[in-house]
PDB file of all heavy atoms in Angstrom:
ATOM      1  N   ARG A 215      17.543   7.228  -6.331  1.00 96.00           N
ATOM      2  CA  ARG A 215      17.156   7.957  -5.120  1.00 96.00           C
ATOM      3  C   ARG A 215      18.316   7.867  -4.126  1.00 96.00           C
ATOM      4  O   ARG A 215      18.849   6.784  -3.887  1.00 96.00           O
ATOM      5  CB  ARG A 215      15.903   7.337  -4.506  1.00 96.00           C
ATOM      6  CG  ARG A 215      15.406   8.082  -3.261  1.00 96.00           C
ATOM      7  CD  ARG A 215      14.151   7.441  -2.688  1.00 96.00           C
ATOM      8  NE  ARG A 215      14.423   6.167  -2.007  1.00 96.00           N
ATOM      9  CZ  ARG A 215      14.163   4.998  -2.523  1.00 96.00           C
ATOM     10  NH1 ARG A 215      13.658   4.878  -3.736  1.00 96.00           N
ATOM     11  NH2 ARG A 215      14.421   3.882  -1.845  1.00 96.00           N
ATOM     12  N   THR A 216      18.713   8.986  -3.572  1.00 96.00           N
ATOM     13  CA  THR A 216      19.845   9.022  -2.652  1.00 96.00           C
ATOM     14  C   THR A 216      19.358   8.973  -1.213  1.00 96.00           C
ATOM     15  O   THR A 216      18.481   9.733  -0.816  1.00 96.00           O
ATOM     16  CB  THR A 216      20.686  10.286  -2.887  1.00 96.00           C
ATOM     17  OG1 THR A 216      21.187  10.273  -4.233  1.00 96.00           O
ATOM     18  CG2 THR A 216      21.865  10.344  -1.933  1.00 96.00           C
ATOM     19  N   GLU A 217      19.926   8.052  -0.454  1.00 97.00           N
ATOM     20  CA  GLU A 217      19.581   7.910   0.960  1.00 97.00           C
ATOM     21  C   GLU A 217      20.861   7.913   1.782  1.00 97.00           C
ATOM     22  O   GLU A 217      21.866   7.311   1.384  1.00 97.00           O
ATOM     23  CB  GLU A 217      18.817   6.606   1.197  1.00 97.00           C
ATOM     24  CG  GLU A 217      17.510   6.505   0.426  1.00 97.00           C
ATOM     25  CD  GLU A 217      16.342   6.130   1.335  1.00 97.00           C
ATOM     26  OE1 GLU A 217      16.479   6.243   2.573  1.00 97.00           O
ATOM     27  OE2 GLU A 217      15.308   5.715   0.783  1.00 97.00           O
ATOM     28  N   VAL A 218      20.826   8.568   2.928  1.00 97.00           N
ATOM     29  CA  VAL A 218      21.972   8.596   3.831  1.00 97.00           C
ATOM     30  C   VAL A 218      21.927   7.348   4.708  1.00 97.00           C
ATOM     31  O   VAL A 218      20.920   7.077   5.362  1.00 97.00           O
ATOM     32  CB  VAL A 218      21.967   9.867   4.701  1.00 97.00           C
ATOM     33  CG1 VAL A 218      23.073   9.804   5.751  1.00 97.00           C
ATOM     34  CG2 VAL A 218      22.132  11.105   3.827  1.00 97.00           C
ATOM     35  N   TYR A 219      23.018   6.583   4.696  1.00 98.00           N
ATOM     36  CA  TYR A 219      23.057   5.381   5.523  1.00 98.00           C
ATOM     37  C   TYR A 219      23.912   5.543   6.767  1.00 98.00           C
ATOM     38  O   TYR A 219      23.844   4.723   7.699  1.00 98.00           O
ATOM     39  CB  TYR A 219      23.546   4.172   4.705  1.00 98.00           C
ATOM     40  CG  TYR A 219      25.027   4.132   4.395  1.00 98.00           C
ATOM     41  CD1 TYR A 219      25.936   3.508   5.249  1.00 98.00           C
ATOM     42  CD2 TYR A 219      25.536   4.674   3.219  1.00 98.00           C
ATOM     43  CE1 TYR A 219      27.289   3.443   4.958  1.00 98.00           C
ATOM     44  CE2 TYR A 219      26.879   4.610   2.911  1.00 98.00           C
ATOM     45  CZ  TYR A 219      27.760   4.000   3.787  1.00 98.00           C
ATOM     46  OH  TYR A 219      29.099   3.946   3.488  1.00 98.00           O
ATOM     47  N   LYS A 220      24.708   6.615   6.808  1.00 97.00           N
ATOM     48  CA  LYS A 220      25.616   6.772   7.944  1.00 97.00           C
ATOM     49  C   LYS A 220      26.043   8.222   8.050  1.00 97.00           C
ATOM     50  O   LYS A 220      26.308   8.866   7.030  1.00 97.00           O
ATOM     51  CB  LYS A 220      26.837   5.868   7.753  1.00 97.00           C
ATOM     52  CG  LYS A 220      27.821   5.821   8.906  1.00 97.00           C
ATOM     53  CD  LYS A 220      28.862   4.743   8.636  1.00 97.00           C
ATOM     54  CE  LYS A 220      29.828   4.584   9.775  1.00 97.00           C
ATOM     55  NZ  LYS A 220      30.760   3.450   9.559  1.00 97.00           N
ATOM     56  N   THR A 221      26.117   8.715   9.269  1.00 96.00           N
ATOM     57  CA  THR A 221      26.598  10.076   9.515  1.00 96.00           C
ATOM     58  C   THR A 221      27.783   9.997  10.466  1.00 96.00           C
ATOM     59  O   THR A 221      27.698   9.364  11.532  1.00 96.00           O
ATOM     60  CB  THR A 221      25.492  10.957  10.117  1.00 96.00           C
ATOM     61  OG1 THR A 221      24.374  10.987   9.216  1.00 96.00           O
ATOM     62  CG2 THR A 221      25.985  12.370  10.335  1.00 96.00           C
ATOM     63  N   VAL A 222      28.867  10.625  10.065  1.00 96.00           N
ATOM     64  CA  VAL A 222      30.075  10.671  10.884  1.00 96.00           C
ATOM     65  C   VAL A 222      30.433  12.139  11.064  1.00 96.00           C
ATOM     66  O   VAL A 222      30.938  12.782  10.141  1.00 96.00           O
ATOM     67  CB  VAL A 222      31.239   9.903  10.235  1.00 96.00           C
ATOM     68  CG1 VAL A 222      32.455   9.905  11.156  1.00 96.00           C
ATOM     69  CG2 VAL A 222      30.834   8.484   9.886  1.00 96.00           C
ATOM     70  N   GLY A 223      30.126  12.700  12.222  1.00 94.00           N
ATOM     71  CA  GLY A 223      30.329  14.125  12.413  1.00 94.00           C
ATOM     72  C   GLY A 223      29.462  14.904  11.448  1.00 94.00           C
ATOM     73  O   GLY A 223      28.239  14.733  11.410  1.00 94.00           O
ATOM     74  N   ASP A 224      30.096  15.754  10.647  1.00 95.00           N
ATOM     75  CA  ASP A 224      29.359  16.540   9.657  1.00 95.00           C
ATOM     76  C   ASP A 224      29.239  15.817   8.312  1.00 95.00           C
ATOM     77  O   ASP A 224      28.642  16.348   7.371  1.00 95.00           O
ATOM     78  CB  ASP A 224      30.051  17.895   9.431  1.00 95.00           C
ATOM     79  CG  ASP A 224      30.037  18.761  10.688  1.00 95.00           C
ATOM     80  OD1 ASP A 224      29.098  18.610  11.487  1.00 95.00           O
ATOM     81  OD2 ASP A 224      30.971  19.565  10.860  1.00 95.00           O
ATOM     82  N   LEU A 225      29.793  14.631   8.215  1.00 95.00           N
ATOM     83  CA  LEU A 225      29.816  13.903   6.951  1.00 95.00           C
ATOM     84  C   LEU A 225      28.639  12.939   6.849  1.00 95.00           C
ATOM     85  O   LEU A 225      28.388  12.151   7.767  1.00 95.00           O
ATOM     86  CB  LEU A 225      31.125  13.120   6.822  1.00 95.00           C
ATOM     87  CG  LEU A 225      31.260  12.196   5.611  1.00 95.00           C
ATOM     88  CD1 LEU A 225      31.327  13.012   4.324  1.00 95.00           C
ATOM     89  CD2 LEU A 225      32.479  11.296   5.755  1.00 95.00           C
ATOM     90  N   SER A 226      27.940  12.993   5.726  1.00 95.00           N
ATOM     91  CA  SER A 226      26.867  12.044   5.442  1.00 95.00           C
ATOM     92  C   SER A 226      27.308  11.118   4.321  1.00 95.00           C
ATOM     93  O   SER A 226      27.744  11.584   3.263  1.00 95.00           O
ATOM     94  CB  SER A 226      25.588  12.784   5.023  1.00 95.00           C
ATOM     95  OG  SER A 226      25.076  13.557   6.089  1.00 95.00           O
ATOM     96  N   LEU A 227      27.207   9.822   4.547  1.00 96.00           N
ATOM     97  CA  LEU A 227      27.541   8.818   3.534  1.00 96.00           C
ATOM     98  C   LEU A 227      26.247   8.300   2.930  1.00 96.00           C
ATOM     99  O   LEU A 227      25.305   7.953   3.653  1.00 96.00           O
ATOM    100  CB  LEU A 227      28.332   7.676   4.158  1.00 96.00           C
ATOM    101  CG  LEU A 227      29.714   8.044   4.676  1.00 96.00           C
ATOM    102  CD1 LEU A 227      30.343   6.861   5.413  1.00 96.00           C
ATOM    103  CD2 LEU A 227      30.626   8.511   3.552  1.00 96.00           C
ATOM    104  N   SER A 228      26.219   8.215   1.612  1.00 96.00           N
ATOM    105  CA  SER A 228      24.971   7.929   0.904  1.00 96.00           C
ATOM    106  C   SER A 228      25.005   6.618   0.132  1.00 96.00           C
ATOM    107  O   SER A 228      26.067   6.134  -0.271  1.00 96.00           O
ATOM    108  CB  SER A 228      24.659   9.066  -0.081  1.00 96.00           C
ATOM    109  OG  SER A 228      24.455  10.282   0.597  1.00 96.00           O
ATOM    110  N   LEU A 229      23.807   6.092  -0.077  1.00 97.00           N
ATOM    111  CA  LEU A 229      23.549   5.004  -0.998  1.00 97.00           C
ATOM    112  C   LEU A 229      22.667   5.536  -2.108  1.00 97.00           C
ATOM    113  O   LEU A 229      21.753   6.332  -1.859  1.00 97.00           O
ATOM    114  CB  LEU A 229      22.819   3.858  -0.291  1.00 97.00           C
ATOM    115  CG  LEU A 229      23.523   3.193   0.880  1.00 97.00           C
ATOM    116  CD1 LEU A 229      22.568   2.231   1.585  1.00 97.00           C
ATOM    117  CD2 LEU A 229      24.756   2.451   0.412  1.00 97.00           C
ATOM    118  N   HIS A 230      22.910   5.103  -3.340  1.00 97.00           N
ATOM    119  CA  HIS A 230      22.123   5.540  -4.491  1.00 97.00           C
ATOM    120  C   HIS A 230      21.306   4.337  -4.959  1.00 97.00           C
ATOM    121  O   HIS A 230      21.849   3.343  -5.423  1.00 97.00           O
ATOM    122  CB  HIS A 230      23.045   6.073  -5.576  1.00 97.00           C
ATOM    123  CG  HIS A 230      23.968   7.151  -5.074  1.00 97.00           C
ATOM    124  ND1 HIS A 230      23.567   8.454  -4.917  1.00 97.00           N
ATOM    125  CD2 HIS A 230      25.256   7.099  -4.646  1.00 97.00           C
ATOM    126  CE1 HIS A 230      24.577   9.181  -4.444  1.00 97.00           C
ATOM    127  NE2 HIS A 230      25.605   8.369  -4.265  1.00 97.00           N
ATOM    128  N   VAL A 231      19.996   4.448  -4.804  1.00 98.00           N
ATOM    129  CA  VAL A 231      19.098   3.310  -4.932  1.00 98.00           C
ATOM    130  C   VAL A 231      18.364   3.355  -6.269  1.00 98.00           C
ATOM    131  O   VAL A 231      17.631   4.305  -6.564  1.00 98.00           O
ATOM    132  CB  VAL A 231      18.074   3.302  -3.783  1.00 98.00           C
ATOM    133  CG1 VAL A 231      17.170   2.072  -3.884  1.00 98.00           C
ATOM    134  CG2 VAL A 231      18.778   3.354  -2.428  1.00 98.00           C
ATOM    135  N   PHE A 232      18.566   2.317  -7.079  1.00 98.00           N
ATOM    136  CA  PHE A 232      17.850   2.150  -8.342  1.00 98.00           C
ATOM    137  C   PHE A 232      16.779   1.082  -8.123  1.00 98.00           C
ATOM    138  O   PHE A 232      17.091  -0.052  -7.755  1.00 98.00           O
ATOM    139  CB  PHE A 232      18.793   1.699  -9.456  1.00 98.00           C
ATOM    140  CG  PHE A 232      19.816   2.720  -9.863  1.00 98.00           C
ATOM    141  CD1 PHE A 232      20.974   2.905  -9.103  1.00 98.00           C
ATOM    142  CD2 PHE A 232      19.639   3.492 -11.003  1.00 98.00           C
ATOM    143  CE1 PHE A 232      21.930   3.838  -9.480  1.00 98.00           C
ATOM    144  CE2 PHE A 232      20.586   4.426 -11.391  1.00 98.00           C
ATOM    145  CZ  PHE A 232      21.730   4.603 -10.628  1.00 98.00           C
ATOM    146  N   GLU A 233      15.524   1.434  -8.370  1.00 97.00           N
ATOM    147  CA  GLU A 233      14.425   0.506  -8.161  1.00 97.00           C
ATOM    148  C   GLU A 233      13.815   0.058  -9.477  1.00 97.00           C
ATOM    149  O   GLU A 233      13.764   0.830 -10.442  1.00 97.00           O
ATOM    150  CB  GLU A 233      13.335   1.158  -7.313  1.00 97.00           C
ATOM    151  CG  GLU A 233      13.746   1.434  -5.889  1.00 97.00           C
ATOM    152  CD  GLU A 233      12.549   1.741  -5.011  1.00 97.00           C
ATOM    153  OE1 GLU A 233      11.928   0.791  -4.498  1.00 97.00           O
ATOM    154  OE2 GLU A 233      12.236   2.933  -4.847  1.00 97.00           O
ATOM    155  N   PRO A 234      13.327  -1.172  -9.523  1.00 96.00           N
ATOM    156  CA  PRO A 234      12.617  -1.627 -10.721  1.00 96.00           C
ATOM    157  C   PRO A 234      11.386  -0.760 -10.976  1.00 96.00           C
ATOM    158  O   PRO A 234      10.724  -0.328 -10.026  1.00 96.00           O
ATOM    159  CB  PRO A 234      12.210  -3.059 -10.368  1.00 96.00           C
ATOM    160  CG  PRO A 234      13.171  -3.471  -9.296  1.00 96.00           C
ATOM    161  CD  PRO A 234      13.468  -2.232  -8.514  1.00 96.00           C
ATOM    162  N   GLU A 235      11.099  -0.497 -12.237  1.00 92.00           N
ATOM    163  CA  GLU A 235       9.943   0.332 -12.568  1.00 92.00           C
ATOM    164  C   GLU A 235       8.637  -0.450 -12.505  1.00 92.00           C
ATOM    165  O   GLU A 235       7.565   0.137 -12.415  1.00 92.00           O
ATOM    166  CB  GLU A 235      10.116   0.933 -13.965  1.00 92.00           C
ATOM    167  CG  GLU A 235      11.260   1.940 -14.046  1.00 92.00           C
ATOM    168  CD  GLU A 235      11.369   2.568 -15.418  1.00 92.00           C
ATOM    169  OE1 GLU A 235      10.569   2.192 -16.310  1.00 92.00           O
ATOM    170  OE2 GLU A 235      12.255   3.418 -15.600  1.00 92.00           O
ATOM    171  N   SER A 236       8.721  -1.761 -12.562  1.00 92.00           N
ATOM    172  CA  SER A 236       7.516  -2.584 -12.529  1.00 92.00           C
ATOM    173  C   SER A 236       7.794  -3.835 -11.718  1.00 92.00           C
ATOM    174  O   SER A 236       8.919  -4.067 -11.265  1.00 92.00           O
ATOM    175  CB  SER A 236       7.087  -2.959 -13.950  1.00 92.00           C
ATOM    176  OG  SER A 236       8.119  -3.682 -14.609  1.00 92.00           O
ATOM    177  N   GLY A 237       6.770  -4.653 -11.543  1.00 92.00           N
ATOM    178  CA  GLY A 237       6.926  -5.889 -10.803  1.00 92.00           C
ATOM    179  C   GLY A 237       6.604  -5.706  -9.335  1.00 92.00           C
ATOM    180  O   GLY A 237       6.076  -4.670  -8.912  1.00 92.00           O
ATOM    181  N   PRO A 238       6.918  -6.707  -8.538  1.00 92.00           N
ATOM    182  CA  PRO A 238       6.603  -6.663  -7.102  1.00 92.00           C
ATOM    183  C   PRO A 238       7.255  -5.464  -6.415  1.00 92.00           C
ATOM    184  O   PRO A 238       8.313  -4.997  -6.826  1.00 92.00           O
ATOM    185  CB  PRO A 238       7.173  -7.980  -6.582  1.00 92.00           C
ATOM    186  CG  PRO A 238       7.306  -8.855  -7.770  1.00 92.00           C
ATOM    187  CD  PRO A 238       7.590  -7.960  -8.926  1.00 92.00           C
ATOM    188  N   LYS A 239       6.630  -5.012  -5.358  1.00 95.00           N
ATOM    189  CA  LYS A 239       7.164  -3.896  -4.569  1.00 95.00           C
ATOM    190  C   LYS A 239       7.685  -4.356  -3.213  1.00 95.00           C
ATOM    191  O   LYS A 239       8.132  -3.533  -2.414  1.00 95.00           O
ATOM    192  CB  LYS A 239       6.082  -2.835  -4.370  1.00 95.00           C
ATOM    193  CG  LYS A 239       5.570  -2.210  -5.659  1.00 95.00           C
ATOM    194  CD  LYS A 239       6.672  -1.469  -6.410  1.00 95.00           C
ATOM    195  CE  LYS A 239       6.143  -0.806  -7.675  1.00 95.00           C
ATOM    196  NZ  LYS A 239       7.237  -0.138  -8.438  1.00 95.00           N
ATOM    197  N   THR A 240       7.605  -5.658  -2.960  1.00 97.00           N
ATOM    198  CA  THR A 240       8.067  -6.194  -1.686  1.00 97.00           C
ATOM    199  C   THR A 240       8.929  -7.429  -1.920  1.00 97.00           C
ATOM    200  O   THR A 240       8.866  -8.059  -2.982  1.00 97.00           O
ATOM    201  CB  THR A 240       6.874  -6.584  -0.787  1.00 97.00           C
ATOM    202  OG1 THR A 240       6.097  -7.589  -1.456  1.00 97.00           O
ATOM    203  CG2 THR A 240       6.004  -5.375  -0.493  1.00 97.00           C
ATOM    204  N   ASN A 241       9.737  -7.741  -0.908  1.00 97.00           N
ATOM    205  CA  ASN A 241      10.555  -8.975  -0.918  1.00 97.00           C
ATOM    206  C   ASN A 241      11.419  -9.127  -2.173  1.00 97.00           C
ATOM    207  O   ASN A 241      11.614 -10.234  -2.673  1.00 97.00           O
ATOM    208  CB  ASN A 241       9.658 -10.203  -0.743  1.00 97.00           C
ATOM    209  CG  ASN A 241       9.020 -10.244   0.627  1.00 97.00           C
ATOM    210  OD1 ASN A 241       9.673  -9.976   1.630  1.00 97.00           O
ATOM    211  ND2 ASN A 241       7.738 -10.561   0.674  1.00 97.00           N
TER     212      ASN A 241
END
């Protein structure tokens, strides 16, 4: 999942987030 962590002018910098498919959803 791609999320924008910073915007500089017209530029968006992204993080690409891989999450576990199972197990806890917190902490």
Side-chain angles (χ1 to χ4, degrees):
R215 182 179 73 257
T216 299
E217 300 231 16
V218 173
Y219 75 90
K220 185 172 183 175
T221 302
V222 183
D224 296 331
L225 175 67
S226 295
L227 294 174
S228 297
L229 299 171
H230 306 280
V231 182
F232 293 80
E233 293 195 86
E235 293 183 358
S236 60
K239 298 298 182 183
T240 60
N241 293 317

